[in-house]
Amino acid sequence: MKNVLILGAGQSAPYLINYMLKGAERYDWNVKVCDMDYELAKTRTDGFSRGEAVKFNVNDEVKRIELIKWSDIVINFLAPKFQPMIAADCLENKKDCITASYTNPAVAKMNDEAVKEGIILLNEMGLDPGIDHMSAAAIIDDVKSKGGEVESFESYGGAIPAPDVKSNPLDYCITWNARNVAMAAEPGAQYLEDGKVKLLPHFEVFNRTWNVDIEGVGTLEAYPNRDSLSYIDVFDVQGVETMVRGTLRYPGFCETWAQIVKLGMANETLSLPPLENMSYEDYTKMFLPLSDNCKSVKKRAAKYLGISPTGKIMSDLEWLGLFSEEKIGRNFNNSGEVLTNILVKKLPLPNGKRDMVILAHEIRVKYAETGKKEIIKSQMVDFGQPDGFTAIAKTVGLPAAIAAKLILTGKLELKGCQIPTHPGIYKVVLEELKESGIKFNEKIEEVN
């Protein structure tokens, strides 16, 4: 009998939890689902005899270690900031660990010790990062096996409402960790374009956008996602001329969000005064220069941002409630928390509607022996179920669940700090994803 510990029961976790609970009888494992919100965890485990909900505070070290010692594997779906803590505990107690988050540098440094202890710390095992890595690695490895060389690599991912959902002016709904949406530009971005390195500070990320066409969906806008340069080594494509990883949104989202970032609201470092009795308009005023006798906060904001006081961007900011006299009603540690709370309240996925996830690769390849060049276009579009599992929950949770099954059944023997670009991972996982309806449509175009 094996014991599975799942940390976090939020929006990205329900499909993962359901998969592990449905497999419990067949594979003879028990599952504990842990979350600060006990009732939420309980709803995820109700009806399954081998599932147990646990009220869990990640900062309770005694309880945390007790649970990890109980487990054979830990699937960590907590916020990314807790990744090093959980990985260190797993290393100390010789437990395998899976997470969907980007590999934290502190976790990467645990590689040698993890190999020594005979465990795997498998990171980036979700959608983006995750399925994007696996599908790209499969294409690149195939190209190399045929003697090809990658000249240009562009990869895009997005979790957005289905095209028929028009519930708010931003054309966006929160279907996963709202904090990650609020702070998306925090690390800035860097990428390679036509042999030139491009560096963007956080306040420029949403100003650097371009169009991407997705078959069956239409034209979306992309902005650069974090550090694309590191993936030159990840995919072993030294000499590539373009290396870009981008995030997709409906057109118009980025120009509004760029102004929120410019105001300084996407900030988790500056502490805030008490906000409980303050209005959202008062909150916005804190980010503006002193008034030049202009009483209208909207006009002051428009002047500071350099936008039209009556245009679409201002309309979006007003719709979000940034100029409202409504009381905030509680205190927050920082502005990023306020912004996250606004997103949760204003941008829910409406009942009966579905979300959509997209992954798209465009890879330009050259075959030295023949001189032939081609562009490989690979796209995946998946829709959620109205009032059921969201597409984001399925595509984030399923890869982690499949990997957990492989580890628990002894079919994945890799050790150390890993991401799913190894064929021992991606070949098996992509095949099961395909069986579950998550598959890529690929086209190859010859070019001169």
Side-chain angles (χ1 to χ4, degrees), residues 50-74:
R50 291 201 175 209
E52 179 185 350
V54 178
K55 185 173 179 59
F56 175 68
N57 182 341
V58 69
N59 294 312
D60 183 344
E61 183 178 4
V62 173
K63 183 68 172 178
R64 191 177 72 240
I65 299 301
E66 173 191 321
L67 288 165
I68 289 175
K69 284 183 175 179
W70 168 86
S71 72
D72 290 287
I73 190 168
V74 177

mmCIF file with all atom_site columns, all heavy atoms in Angstrom, residues 50-74:
data_model
loop_
_atom_site.group_PDB
_atom_site.id
_atom_site.type_symbol
_atom_site.label_atom_id
_atom_site.label_alt_id
_atom_site.label_comp_id
_atom_site.label_asym_id
_atom_site.label_entity_id
_atom_site.label_seq_id
_atom_site.pdbx_PDB_ins_code
_atom_site.Cartn_x
_atom_site.Cartn_y
_atom_site.Cartn_z
_atom_site.occupancy
_atom_site.B_iso_or_equiv
_atom_site.pdbx_formal_charge
_atom_site.auth_seq_id
_atom_site.auth_comp_id
_atom_site.auth_asym_id
_atom_site.auth_atom_id
_atom_site.pdbx_PDB_model_num
ATOM 1   N N   . ARG A 1 50 ? -10.990 5.946  0.143  1.00 0.00 ? 50 ARG A N   1
ATOM 2   C CA  . ARG A 1 50 ? -9.552  6.028  0.393  1.00 0.00 ? 50 ARG A CA  1
ATOM 3   C C   . ARG A 1 50 ? -9.039  7.462  0.398  1.00 0.00 ? 50 ARG A C   1
ATOM 4   O O   . ARG A 1 50 ? -7.842  7.695  0.347  1.00 0.00 ? 50 ARG A O   1
ATOM 5   C CB  . ARG A 1 50 ? -8.794  5.205  -0.646 1.00 0.00 ? 50 ARG A CB  1
ATOM 6   C CG  . ARG A 1 50 ? -9.016  3.699  -0.492 1.00 0.00 ? 50 ARG A CG  1
ATOM 7   C CD  . ARG A 1 50 ? -7.902  2.944  -1.172 1.00 0.00 ? 50 ARG A CD  1
ATOM 8   N NE  . ARG A 1 50 ? -8.014  1.525  -0.944 1.00 0.00 ? 50 ARG A NE  1
ATOM 9   C CZ  . ARG A 1 50 ? -6.968  0.704  -0.923 1.00 0.00 ? 50 ARG A CZ  1
ATOM 10  N NH1 . ARG A 1 50 ? -5.757  1.185  -1.071 1.00 0.00 ? 50 ARG A NH1 1
ATOM 11  N NH2 . ARG A 1 50 ? -7.132  -0.581 -0.739 1.00 0.00 ? 50 ARG A NH2 1
ATOM 12  N N   . GLY A 1 51 ? -9.950  8.420  0.445  1.00 0.00 ? 51 GLY A N   1
ATOM 13  C CA  . GLY A 1 51 ? -9.567  9.817  0.503  1.00 0.00 ? 51 GLY A CA  1
ATOM 14  C C   . GLY A 1 51 ? -9.842  10.421 1.860  1.00 0.00 ? 51 GLY A C   1
ATOM 15  O O   . GLY A 1 51 ? -10.832 10.095 2.503  1.00 0.00 ? 51 GLY A O   1
ATOM 16  N N   . GLU A 1 52 ? -8.970  11.297 2.303  1.00 0.00 ? 52 GLU A N   1
ATOM 17  C CA  . GLU A 1 52 ? -9.140  11.967 3.595  1.00 0.00 ? 52 GLU A CA  1
ATOM 18  C C   . GLU A 1 52 ? -8.768  13.438 3.459  1.00 0.00 ? 52 GLU A C   1
ATOM 19  O O   . GLU A 1 52 ? -7.707  13.770 2.906  1.00 0.00 ? 52 GLU A O   1
ATOM 20  C CB  . GLU A 1 52 ? -8.263  11.316 4.660  1.00 0.00 ? 52 GLU A CB  1
ATOM 21  C CG  . GLU A 1 52 ? -8.362  11.982 6.028  1.00 0.00 ? 52 GLU A CG  1
ATOM 22  C CD  . GLU A 1 52 ? -7.390  11.405 7.046  1.00 0.00 ? 52 GLU A CD  1
ATOM 23  O OE1 . GLU A 1 52 ? -6.760  10.369 6.761  1.00 0.00 ? 52 GLU A OE1 1
ATOM 24  O OE2 . GLU A 1 52 ? -7.236  12.020 8.124  1.00 0.00 ? 52 GLU A OE2 1
ATOM 25  N N   . ALA A 1 53 ? -9.636  14.300 3.939  1.00 0.00 ? 53 ALA A N   1
ATOM 26  C CA  . ALA A 1 53 ? -9.366  15.741 3.952  1.00 0.00 ? 53 ALA A CA  1
ATOM 27  C C   . ALA A 1 53 ? -8.665  16.110 5.253  1.00 0.00 ? 53 ALA A C   1
ATOM 28  O O   . ALA A 1 53 ? -9.012  15.603 6.319  1.00 0.00 ? 53 ALA A O   1
ATOM 29  C CB  . ALA A 1 53 ? -10.659 16.525 3.807  1.00 0.00 ? 53 ALA A CB  1
ATOM 30  N N   . VAL A 1 54 ? -7.679  17.013 5.148  1.00 0.00 ? 54 VAL A N   1
ATOM 31  C CA  . VAL A 1 54 ? -6.914  17.435 6.315  1.00 0.00 ? 54 VAL A CA  1
ATOM 32  C C   . VAL A 1 54 ? -6.802  18.951 6.312  1.00 0.00 ? 54 VAL A C   1
ATOM 33  O O   . VAL A 1 54 ? -6.418  19.542 5.305  1.00 0.00 ? 54 VAL A O   1
ATOM 34  C CB  . VAL A 1 54 ? -5.497  16.820 6.302  1.00 0.00 ? 54 VAL A CB  1
ATOM 35  C CG1 . VAL A 1 54 ? -4.694  17.302 7.506  1.00 0.00 ? 54 VAL A CG1 1
ATOM 36  C CG2 . VAL A 1 54 ? -5.558  15.301 6.265  1.00 0.00 ? 54 VAL A CG2 1
ATOM 37  N N   . LYS A 1 55 ? -7.155  19.555 7.446  1.00 0.00 ? 55 LYS A N   1
ATOM 38  C CA  . LYS A 1 55 ? -6.939  21.000 7.586  1.00 0.00 ? 55 LYS A CA  1
ATOM 39  C C   . LYS A 1 55 ? -5.445  21.215 7.783  1.00 0.00 ? 55 LYS A C   1
ATOM 40  O O   . LYS A 1 55 ? -4.828  20.602 8.654  1.00 0.00 ? 55 LYS A O   1
ATOM 41  C CB  . LYS A 1 55 ? -7.721  21.566 8.765  1.00 0.00 ? 55 LYS A CB  1
ATOM 42  C CG  . LYS A 1 55 ? -7.613  23.094 8.877  1.00 0.00 ? 55 LYS A CG  1
ATOM 43  C CD  . LYS A 1 55 ? -8.528  23.645 9.934  1.00 0.00 ? 55 LYS A CD  1
ATOM 44  C CE  . LYS A 1 55 ? -8.390  25.162 10.059 1.00 0.00 ? 55 LYS A CE  1
ATOM 45  N NZ  . LYS A 1 55 ? -8.702  25.859 8.795  1.00 0.00 ? 55 LYS A NZ  1
ATOM 46  N N   . PHE A 1 56 ? -4.871  22.091 6.972  1.00 0.00 ? 56 PHE A N   1
ATOM 47  C CA  . PHE A 1 56 ? -3.410  22.154 6.901  1.00 0.00 ? 56 PHE A CA  1
ATOM 48  C C   . PHE A 1 56 ? -2.916  23.585 6.794  1.00 0.00 ? 56 PHE A C   1
ATOM 49  O O   . PHE A 1 56 ? -3.330  24.337 5.915  1.00 0.00 ? 56 PHE A O   1
ATOM 50  C CB  . PHE A 1 56 ? -2.937  21.346 5.680  1.00 0.00 ? 56 PHE A CB  1
ATOM 51  C CG  . PHE A 1 56 ? -1.467  21.406 5.415  1.00 0.00 ? 56 PHE A CG  1
ATOM 52  C CD1 . PHE A 1 56 ? -0.562  20.820 6.273  1.00 0.00 ? 56 PHE A CD1 1
ATOM 53  C CD2 . PHE A 1 56 ? -0.986  22.045 4.276  1.00 0.00 ? 56 PHE A CD2 1
ATOM 54  C CE1 . PHE A 1 56 ? 0.803   20.858 6.016  1.00 0.00 ? 56 PHE A CE1 1
ATOM 55  C CE2 . PHE A 1 56 ? 0.379   22.087 4.003  1.00 0.00 ? 56 PHE A CE2 1
ATOM 56  C CZ  . PHE A 1 56 ? 1.265   21.493 4.877  1.00 0.00 ? 56 PHE A CZ  1
ATOM 57  N N   . ASN A 1 57 ? -2.038  23.944 7.693  1.00 0.00 ? 57 ASN A N   1
ATOM 58  C CA  . ASN A 1 57 ? -1.327  25.216 7.637  1.00 0.00 ? 57 ASN A CA  1
ATOM 59  C C   . ASN A 1 57 ? 0.123   24.904 7.302  1.00 0.00 ? 57 ASN A C   1
ATOM 60  O O   . ASN A 1 57 ? 0.827   24.263 8.092  1.00 0.00 ? 57 ASN A O   1
ATOM 61  C CB  . ASN A 1 57 ? -1.419  25.953 8.975  1.00 0.00 ? 57 ASN A CB  1
ATOM 62  C CG  . ASN A 1 57 ? -0.731  27.311 8.941  1.00 0.00 ? 57 ASN A CG  1
ATOM 63  O OD1 . ASN A 1 57 ? 0.094   27.588 8.072  1.00 0.00 ? 57 ASN A OD1 1
ATOM 64  N ND2 . ASN A 1 57 ? -1.074  28.158 9.899  1.00 0.00 ? 57 ASN A ND2 1
ATOM 65  N N   . VAL A 1 58 ? 0.589   25.325 6.149  1.00 0.00 ? 58 VAL A N   1
ATOM 66  C CA  . VAL A 1 58 ? 1.918   24.959 5.694  1.00 0.00 ? 58 VAL A CA  1
ATOM 67  C C   . VAL A 1 58 ? 3.005   25.421 6.653  1.00 0.00 ? 58 VAL A C   1
ATOM 68  O O   . VAL A 1 58 ? 4.107   24.849 6.691  1.00 0.00 ? 58 VAL A O   1
ATOM 69  C CB  . VAL A 1 58 ? 2.168   25.506 4.277  1.00 0.00 ? 58 VAL A CB  1
ATOM 70  C CG1 . VAL A 1 58 ? 2.280   27.026 4.296  1.00 0.00 ? 58 VAL A CG1 1
ATOM 71  C CG2 . VAL A 1 58 ? 3.420   24.880 3.645  1.00 0.00 ? 58 VAL A CG2 1
ATOM 72  N N   . ASN A 1 59 ? 2.728   26.436 7.443  1.00 0.00 ? 59 ASN A N   1
ATOM 73  C CA  . ASN A 1 59 ? 3.725   26.946 8.383  1.00 0.00 ? 59 ASN A CA  1
ATOM 74  C C   . ASN A 1 59 ? 3.752   26.194 9.704  1.00 0.00 ? 59 ASN A C   1
ATOM 75  O O   . ASN A 1 59 ? 4.586   26.492 10.564 1.00 0.00 ? 59 ASN A O   1
ATOM 76  C CB  . ASN A 1 59 ? 3.481   28.441 8.636  1.00 0.00 ? 59 ASN A CB  1
ATOM 77  C CG  . ASN A 1 59 ? 3.721   29.269 7.392  1.00 0.00 ? 59 ASN A CG  1
ATOM 78  O OD1 . ASN A 1 59 ? 4.743   29.122 6.723  1.00 0.00 ? 59 ASN A OD1 1
ATOM 79  N ND2 . ASN A 1 59 ? 2.772   30.130 7.050  1.00 0.00 ? 59 ASN A ND2 1
ATOM 80  N N   . ASP A 1 60 ? 2.865   25.221 9.861  1.00 0.00 ? 60 ASP A N   1
ATOM 81  C CA  . ASP A 1 60 ? 2.880   24.349 11.030 1.00 0.00 ? 60 ASP A CA  1
ATOM 82  C C   . ASP A 1 60 ? 3.896   23.240 10.766 1.00 0.00 ? 60 ASP A C   1
ATOM 83  O O   . ASP A 1 60 ? 3.581   22.204 10.193 1.00 0.00 ? 60 ASP A O   1
ATOM 84  C CB  . ASP A 1 60 ? 1.486   23.768 11.281 1.00 0.00 ? 60 ASP A CB  1
ATOM 85  C CG  . ASP A 1 60 ? 1.406   22.899 12.529 1.00 0.00 ? 60 ASP A CG  1
ATOM 86  O OD1 . ASP A 1 60 ? 2.468   22.478 13.044 1.00 0.00 ? 60 ASP A OD1 1
ATOM 87  O OD2 . ASP A 1 60 ? 0.281   22.620 12.980 1.00 0.00 ? 60 ASP A OD2 1
ATOM 88  N N   . GLU A 1 61 ? 5.129   23.460 11.193 1.00 0.00 ? 61 GLU A N   1
ATOM 89  C CA  . GLU A 1 61 ? 6.222   22.547 10.843 1.00 0.00 ? 61 GLU A CA  1
ATOM 90  C C   . GLU A 1 61 ? 5.991   21.141 11.376 1.00 0.00 ? 61 GLU A C   1
ATOM 91  O O   . GLU A 1 61 ? 6.265   20.151 10.676 1.00 0.00 ? 61 GLU A O   1
ATOM 92  C CB  . GLU A 1 61 ? 7.543   23.089 11.381 1.00 0.00 ? 61 GLU A CB  1
ATOM 93  C CG  . GLU A 1 61 ? 8.737   22.236 11.000 1.00 0.00 ? 61 GLU A CG  1
ATOM 94  C CD  . GLU A 1 61 ? 10.051  22.809 11.503 1.00 0.00 ? 61 GLU A CD  1
ATOM 95  O OE1 . GLU A 1 61 ? 10.017  23.830 12.214 1.00 0.00 ? 61 GLU A OE1 1
ATOM 96  O OE2 . GLU A 1 61 ? 11.108  22.232 11.192 1.00 0.00 ? 61 GLU A OE2 1
ATOM 97  N N   . VAL A 1 62 ? 5.485   21.014 12.592 1.00 0.00 ? 62 VAL A N   1
ATOM 98  C CA  . VAL A 1 62 ? 5.278   19.699 13.182 1.00 0.00 ? 62 VAL A CA  1
ATOM 99  C C   . VAL A 1 62 ? 4.290   18.882 12.353 1.00 0.00 ? 62 VAL A C   1
ATOM 100 O O   . VAL A 1 62 ? 4.539   17.725 12.015 1.00 0.00 ? 62 VAL A O   1
ATOM 101 C CB  . VAL A 1 62 ? 4.788   19.819 14.647 1.00 0.00 ? 62 VAL A CB  1
ATOM 102 C CG1 . VAL A 1 62 ? 4.413   18.441 15.212 1.00 0.00 ? 62 VAL A CG1 1
ATOM 103 C CG2 . VAL A 1 62 ? 5.858   20.482 15.516 1.00 0.00 ? 62 VAL A CG2 1
ATOM 104 N N   . LYS A 1 63 ? 3.148   19.507 12.011 1.00 0.00 ? 63 LYS A N   1
ATOM 105 C CA  . LYS A 1 63 ? 2.124   18.820 11.216 1.00 0.00 ? 63 LYS A CA  1
ATOM 106 C C   . LYS A 1 63 ? 2.639   18.529 9.815  1.00 0.00 ? 63 LYS A C   1
ATOM 107 O O   . LYS A 1 63 ? 2.386   17.453 9.252  1.00 0.00 ? 63 LYS A O   1
ATOM 108 C CB  . LYS A 1 63 ? 0.856   19.676 11.154 1.00 0.00 ? 63 LYS A CB  1
ATOM 109 C CG  . LYS A 1 63 ? -0.310  19.026 10.422 1.00 0.00 ? 63 LYS A CG  1
ATOM 110 C CD  . LYS A 1 63 ? -0.859  17.840 11.179 1.00 0.00 ? 63 LYS A CD  1
ATOM 111 C CE  . LYS A 1 63 ? -2.119  17.315 10.559 1.00 0.00 ? 63 LYS A CE  1
ATOM 112 N NZ  . LYS A 1 63 ? -2.651  16.127 11.262 1.00 0.00 ? 63 LYS A NZ  1
ATOM 113 N N   . ARG A 1 64 ? 3.358   19.476 9.249  1.00 0.00 ? 64 ARG A N   1
ATOM 114 C CA  . ARG A 1 64 ? 3.877   19.319 7.891  1.00 0.00 ? 64 ARG A CA  1
ATOM 115 C C   . ARG A 1 64 ? 4.822   18.116 7.804  1.00 0.00 ? 64 ARG A C   1
ATOM 116 O O   . ARG A 1 64 ? 4.702   17.278 6.902  1.00 0.00 ? 64 ARG A O   1
ATOM 117 C CB  . ARG A 1 64 ? 4.607   20.595 7.482  1.00 0.00 ? 64 ARG A CB  1
ATOM 118 C CG  . ARG A 1 64 ? 4.961   20.680 6.022  1.00 0.00 ? 64 ARG A CG  1
ATOM 119 C CD  . ARG A 1 64 ? 5.616   22.006 5.687  1.00 0.00 ? 64 ARG A CD  1
ATOM 120 N NE  . ARG A 1 64 ? 6.967   22.108 6.208  1.00 0.00 ? 64 ARG A NE  1
ATOM 121 C CZ  . ARG A 1 64 ? 7.389   23.020 7.070  1.00 0.00 ? 64 ARG A CZ  1
ATOM 122 N NH1 . ARG A 1 64 ? 6.543   23.929 7.548  1.00 0.00 ? 64 ARG A NH1 1
ATOM 123 N NH2 . ARG A 1 64 ? 8.636   23.054 7.473  1.00 0.00 ? 64 ARG A NH2 1
ATOM 124 N N   . ILE A 1 65 ? 5.746   18.018 8.735  1.00 0.00 ? 65 ILE A N   1
ATOM 125 C CA  . ILE A 1 65 ? 6.701   16.908 8.732  1.00 0.00 ? 65 ILE A CA  1
ATOM 126 C C   . ILE A 1 65 ? 5.990   15.591 9.003  1.00 0.00 ? 65 ILE A C   1
ATOM 127 O O   . ILE A 1 65 ? 6.302   14.558 8.385  1.00 0.00 ? 65 ILE A O   1
ATOM 128 C CB  . ILE A 1 65 ? 7.811   17.147 9.764  1.00 0.00 ? 65 ILE A CB  1
ATOM 129 C CG1 . ILE A 1 65 ? 8.595   18.423 9.435  1.00 0.00 ? 65 ILE A CG1 1
ATOM 130 C CG2 . ILE A 1 65 ? 8.755   15.949 9.818  1.00 0.00 ? 65 ILE A CG2 1
ATOM 131 C CD1 . ILE A 1 65 ? 9.253   18.417 8.079  1.00 0.00 ? 65 ILE A CD1 1
ATOM 132 N N   . GLU A 1 66 ? 5.011   15.616 9.890  1.00 0.00 ? 66 GLU A N   1
ATOM 133 C CA  . GLU A 1 66 ? 4.246   14.397 10.204 1.00 0.00 ? 66 GLU A CA  1
ATOM 134 C C   . GLU A 1 66 ? 3.564   13.862 8.948  1.00 0.00 ? 66 GLU A C   1
ATOM 135 O O   . GLU A 1 66 ? 3.591   12.654 8.672  1.00 0.00 ? 66 GLU A O   1
ATOM 136 C CB  . GLU A 1 66 ? 3.211   14.715 11.282 1.00 0.00 ? 66 GLU A CB  1
ATOM 137 C CG  . GLU A 1 66 ? 2.236   13.582 11.595 1.00 0.00 ? 66 GLU A CG  1
ATOM 138 C CD  . GLU A 1 66 ? 1.086   14.044 12.468 1.00 0.00 ? 66 GLU A CD  1
ATOM 139 O OE1 . GLU A 1 66 ? 1.320   14.850 13.391 1.00 0.00 ? 66 GLU A OE1 1
ATOM 140 O OE2 . GLU A 1 66 ? -0.053  13.619 12.221 1.00 0.00 ? 66 GLU A OE2 1
ATOM 141 N N   . LEU A 1 67 ? 2.953   14.744 8.185  1.00 0.00 ? 67 LEU A N   1
ATOM 142 C CA  . LEU A 1 67 ? 2.264   14.331 6.957  1.00 0.00 ? 67 LEU A CA  1
ATOM 143 C C   . LEU A 1 67 ? 3.245   13.820 5.905  1.00 0.00 ? 67 LEU A C   1
ATOM 144 O O   . LEU A 1 67 ? 2.984   12.822 5.226  1.00 0.00 ? 67 LEU A O   1
ATOM 145 C CB  . LEU A 1 67 ? 1.452   15.494 6.400  1.00 0.00 ? 67 LEU A CB  1
ATOM 146 C CG  . LEU A 1 67 ? 0.192   15.875 7.190  1.00 0.00 ? 67 LEU A CG  1
ATOM 147 C CD1 . LEU A 1 67 ? -0.316  17.242 6.772  1.00 0.00 ? 67 LEU A CD1 1
ATOM 148 C CD2 . LEU A 1 67 ? -0.892  14.816 7.003  1.00 0.00 ? 67 LEU A CD2 1
ATOM 149 N N   . ILE A 1 68 ? 4.361   14.504 5.744  1.00 0.00 ? 68 ILE A N   1
ATOM 150 C CA  . ILE A 1 68 ? 5.354   14.092 4.746  1.00 0.00 ? 68 ILE A CA  1
ATOM 151 C C   . ILE A 1 68 ? 5.946   12.734 5.117  1.00 0.00 ? 68 ILE A C   1
ATOM 152 O O   . ILE A 1 68 ? 6.152   11.875 4.243  1.00 0.00 ? 68 ILE A O   1
ATOM 153 C CB  . ILE A 1 68 ? 6.440   15.178 4.587  1.00 0.00 ? 68 ILE A CB  1
ATOM 154 C CG1 . ILE A 1 68 ? 5.841   16.405 3.872  1.00 0.00 ? 68 ILE A CG1 1
ATOM 155 C CG2 . ILE A 1 68 ? 7.643   14.640 3.819  1.00 0.00 ? 68 ILE A CG2 1
ATOM 156 C CD1 . ILE A 1 68 ? 6.756   17.588 3.762  1.00 0.00 ? 68 ILE A CD1 1
ATOM 157 N N   . LYS A 1 69 ? 6.203   12.498 6.395  1.00 0.00 ? 69 LYS A N   1
ATOM 158 C CA  . LYS A 1 69 ? 6.719   11.192 6.830  1.00 0.00 ? 69 LYS A CA  1
ATOM 159 C C   . LYS A 1 69 ? 5.707   10.082 6.549  1.00 0.00 ? 69 LYS A C   1
ATOM 160 O O   . LYS A 1 69 ? 6.092   8.944  6.248  1.00 0.00 ? 69 LYS A O   1
ATOM 161 C CB  . LYS A 1 69 ? 7.062   11.230 8.320  1.00 0.00 ? 69 LYS A CB  1
ATOM 162 C CG  . LYS A 1 69 ? 8.350   11.970 8.640  1.00 0.00 ? 69 LYS A CG  1
ATOM 163 C CD  . LYS A 1 69 ? 8.662   11.910 10.128 1.00 0.00 ? 69 LYS A CD  1
ATOM 164 C CE  . LYS A 1 69 ? 10.022  12.542 10.424 1.00 0.00 ? 69 LYS A CE  1
ATOM 165 N NZ  . LYS A 1 69 ? 10.338  12.512 11.872 1.00 0.00 ? 69 LYS A NZ  1
ATOM 166 N N   . TRP A 1 70 ? 4.414   10.395 6.653  1.00 0.00 ? 70 TRP A N   1
ATOM 167 C CA  . TRP A 1 70 ? 3.359   9.410  6.366  1.00 0.00 ? 70 TRP A CA  1
ATOM 168 C C   . TRP A 1 70 ? 3.347   8.999  4.911  1.00 0.00 ? 70 TRP A C   1
ATOM 169 O O   . TRP A 1 70 ? 3.016   7.872  4.560  1.00 0.00 ? 70 TRP A O   1
ATOM 170 C CB  . TRP A 1 70 ? 2.006   10.006 6.775  1.00 0.00 ? 70 TRP A CB  1
ATOM 171 C CG  . TRP A 1 70 ? 0.816   9.224  6.280  1.00 0.00 ? 70 TRP A CG  1
ATOM 172 C CD1 . TRP A 1 70 ? 0.221   8.146  6.882  1.00 0.00 ? 70 TRP A CD1 1
ATOM 173 C CD2 . TRP A 1 70 ? 0.073   9.458  5.064  1.00 0.00 ? 70 TRP A CD2 1
ATOM 174 N NE1 . TRP A 1 70 ? -0.837  7.698  6.134  1.00 0.00 ? 70 TRP A NE1 1
ATOM 175 C CE2 . TRP A 1 70 ? -0.953  8.484  5.014  1.00 0.00 ? 70 TRP A CE2 1
ATOM 176 C CE3 . TRP A 1 70 ? 0.175   10.388 4.041  1.00 0.00 ? 70 TRP A CE3 1
ATOM 177 C CZ2 . TRP A 1 70 ? -1.877  8.431  3.966  1.00 0.00 ? 70 TRP A CZ2 1
ATOM 178 C CZ3 . TRP A 1 70 ? -0.729  10.335 2.994  1.00 0.00 ? 70 TRP A CZ3 1
ATOM 179 C CH2 . TRP A 1 70 ? -1.740  9.360  2.963  1.00 0.00 ? 70 TRP A CH2 1
ATOM 180 N N   . SER A 1 71 ? 3.741   9.902  4.033  1.00 0.00 ? 71 SER A N   1
ATOM 181 C CA  . SER A 1 71 ? 3.551   9.716  2.597  1.00 0.00 ? 71 SER A CA  1
ATOM 182 C C   . SER A 1 71 ? 4.661   8.894  1.951  1.00 0.00 ? 71 SER A C   1
ATOM 183 O O   . SER A 1 71 ? 5.758   8.744  2.490  1.00 0.00 ? 71 SER A O   1
ATOM 184 C CB  . SER A 1 71 ? 3.483   11.081 1.902  1.00 0.00 ? 71 SER A CB  1
ATOM 185 O OG  . SER A 1 71 ? 4.777   11.681 1.875  1.00 0.00 ? 71 SER A OG  1
ATOM 186 N N   . ASP A 1 72 ? 4.344   8.385  0.752  1.00 0.00 ? 72 ASP A N   1
ATOM 187 C CA  . ASP A 1 72 ? 5.347   7.824  -0.141 1.00 0.00 ? 72 ASP A CA  1
ATOM 188 C C   . ASP A 1 72 ? 5.697   8.819  -1.240 1.00 0.00 ? 72 ASP A C   1
ATOM 189 O O   . ASP A 1 72 ? 6.769   8.741  -1.832 1.00 0.00 ? 72 ASP A O   1
ATOM 190 C CB  . ASP A 1 72 ? 4.830   6.524  -0.764 1.00 0.00 ? 72 ASP A CB  1
ATOM 191 C CG  . ASP A 1 72 ? 4.734   5.400  0.255  1.00 0.00 ? 72 ASP A CG  1
ATOM 192 O OD1 . ASP A 1 72 ? 5.787   4.876  0.656  1.00 0.00 ? 72 ASP A OD1 1
ATOM 193 O OD2 . ASP A 1 72 ? 3.603   5.069  0.673  1.00 0.00 ? 72 ASP A OD2 1
ATOM 194 N N   . ILE A 1 73 ? 4.761   9.711  -1.526 1.00 0.00 ? 73 ILE A N   1
ATOM 195 C CA  . ILE A 1 73 ? 4.999   10.748 -2.521 1.00 0.00 ? 73 ILE A CA  1
ATOM 196 C C   . ILE A 1 73 ? 4.202   11.986 -2.137 1.00 0.00 ? 73 ILE A C   1
ATOM 197 O O   . ILE A 1 73 ? 3.093   11.888 -1.599 1.00 0.00 ? 73 ILE A O   1
ATOM 198 C CB  . ILE A 1 73 ? 4.605   10.266 -3.938 1.00 0.00 ? 73 ILE A CB  1
ATOM 199 C CG1 . ILE A 1 73 ? 5.080   11.262 -5.006 1.00 0.00 ? 73 ILE A CG1 1
ATOM 200 C CG2 . ILE A 1 73 ? 3.095   10.038 -4.055 1.00 0.00 ? 73 ILE A CG2 1
ATOM 201 C CD1 . ILE A 1 73 ? 4.981   10.719 -6.419 1.00 0.00 ? 73 ILE A CD1 1
ATOM 202 N N   . VAL A 1 74 ? 4.791   13.160 -2.393 1.00 0.00 ? 74 VAL A N   1
ATOM 203 C CA  . VAL A 1 74 ? 4.134   14.439 -2.118 1.00 0.00 ? 74 VAL A CA  1
ATOM 204 C C   . VAL A 1 74 ? 3.865   15.140 -3.442 1.00 0.00 ? 74 VAL A C   1
ATOM 205 O O   . VAL A 1 74 ? 4.774   15.304 -4.264 1.00 0.00 ? 74 VAL A O   1
ATOM 206 C CB  . VAL A 1 74 ? 5.014   15.337 -1.228 1.00 0.00 ? 74 VAL A CB  1
ATOM 207 C CG1 . VAL A 1 74 ? 4.345   16.699 -1.016 1.00 0.00 ? 74 VAL A CG1 1
ATOM 208 C CG2 . VAL A 1 74 ? 5.288   14.667 0.112  1.00 0.00 ? 74 VAL A CG2 1
#
